[in-house]
Amino acid sequence: QLQLVESGGGLVQPGGSLRLSCAASGFTLDSYVIGWFRQAPGKEREGVSCISSNGIFKDHADSVKGRFTISRDKAKNTVYLQMNSLKPEDTAVYYCAARSFRLFGKCVSDQNYAYWGQGTQVTVSS
């Protein structure tokens, strides 16, 4: 069974940092584009960041550029989202998702992904 599991969420003060992890079971992430998405209460889900299967190409939403970094660790079969300089508006449930390595284009704006995790809550508040 193919599964994605997010972890690393929590409560952090504005200006703080968190690192989210997206781990896979039942398959290796090497052949997949991985995206991070988030959904705040009362809002539509939006794309945050994505990374190509080889880790070379990355894209970020304008709202997180310069603050969030996406990376992948092949040995650990895990993709990370490093979030720095967090703001209250970053509060949301964060999801990771996977789709074919052929589909890197528009991987932030296009939410057509084959596999999704259950999400992890990130709350930015003083």
Side-chain angles (χ1 to χ4, degrees):
Q1 186 175 1
L2 308 182
Q3 282 190 320
L4 293 172
V5 179
E6 303 93 338
S7 61
L11 173 64
V12 64
Q13 292 186 342
S17 298
L18 282 174
R19 189 179 76 161
L20 304 183
S21 299
C22 173
S25 62
F27 67 109
T28 61
L29 293 178
D30 291 1
S31 298
Y32 293 86
V33 170
I34 304 300
W36 281 99
F37 298 83
R38 66 186 181 186
Q39 188 166 22
K43 294 186 177 182
E44 292 186 352
R45 188 171 61 195
E46 63 176 355
V48 175
S49 302
C50 59
I51 187 168
S52 61
S53 58
N54 59 12
I56 294 176
F57 302 103
K58 305 173 185 180
D59 198 11
H60 299 276
D62 288 343
S63 59
V64 305
K65 282 181 179 176
R67 300 189 298 122
F68 291 12
T69 303
I70 190 170
S71 62
R72 59 195 308 156
D73 186 326
K74 180 178 179 178
K76 295 184 178 179
N77 204 27
T78 301
V79 172
Y80 301 100
L81 185 68
Q82 178 68 43
M83 306 187 296
N84 299 327
S85 302
L86 282 162
K87 304 175 181 180
E89 52 263 44
D90 295 317
T91 295
V93 178
Y94 282 71
Y95 302 88
C96 66
R99 69 186 190 186
S100 169
F101 70 95
R102 296 180 180 88
L103 301 176
F104 179 75
K106 297 183 179 180
C107 56
V108 171
S109 59
D110 177 9
Q111 299 192 24
N112 185 19
Y113 281 70
Y115 307 103
W116 290 83
Q118 293 299 308
T120 184
Q121 176 70 46
V122 172
T123 302
V124 185
S125 175
S126 55

